[in-house]
Amino acid sequence: QVQLVESGGGLVQAGGSLRLSCAASGGTFSSYAMGWFRQAPGKEREFVAAISRSGGITYYADSVKGRFTISRDNAKNTVYLQMNSLKPEDTAVYYCGADRDLSDVLLPRHVVYWGQGTQVTVSS
């Protein structure tokens, strides 16, 4: 059983930056691919970024490509999401997810383990 705790959300002006963290416990972190997802009010949860177990492979949603960077530190059991050039449409609750296979952290419905989420609000 993997427990995930996100942090780093907050209120930022458009064009600003935030760095989200997701700390994992209860499992062997390097055995899990990790993903970031977000859910805006009234919308379905959507994929944002994913990273393989070793960190060597990453995927991004087209809407964040070139602005967001996912990374992980297996020694610290933590995955990060660096968000730059933030836009009001990035406003959402951001969740991290974990699963054994990278393919399973590309779609929300396949993710087994979820954190509680952290709010990101981008003002215009």
Side-chain angles (χ1 to χ4, degrees), residues 1-42:
Q1 187 80 6
V2 177
Q3 291 82 46
L4 304 172
V5 179
E6 301 95 336
S7 62
L11 173 64
V12 64
Q13 289 188 331
S17 299
L18 281 175
R19 188 196 196 200
L20 304 184
S21 299
C22 173
S25 61
T28 303
F29 182 66
S30 59
S31 297
Y32 293 89
M34 301 296 297
W36 284 98
F37 303 81
R38 66 188 181 187
Q39 188 166 16

Side-chain angles (χ1 to χ4, degrees), residues 16-103:
S17 299
L18 281 175
R19 188 196 196 200
L20 304 184
S21 299
C22 173
S25 61
T28 303
F29 182 66
S30 59
S31 297
Y32 293 89
M34 301 296 297
W36 284 98
F37 303 81
R38 66 188 181 187
Q39 188 166 16
K43 295 188 176 181
E44 294 187 352
R45 192 169 299 188
E46 64 176 5
F47 167 77
V48 174
I51 190 166
S52 62
R53 292 186 288 263
S54 68
I57 301 172
T58 57
Y59 291 106
Y60 296 93
D62 288 343
S63 58
V64 307
K65 203 171 293 183
R67 300 188 298 122
F68 291 10
T69 303
I70 188 171
S71 61
R72 66 188 295 161
D73 185 337
N74 286 347
K76 294 183 178 179
N77 293 351
T78 302
V79 62
Y80 305 98
L81 186 68
Q82 178 66 44
M83 306 186 294
N84 298 329
S85 303
L86 283 161
K87 304 175 181 180
E89 51 263 44
D90 294 318
T91 295
V93 178
Y94 282 71
Y95 299 88
C96 67
D99 212 317
R100 292 289 187 180
D101 295 324
L102 183 57
S103 60

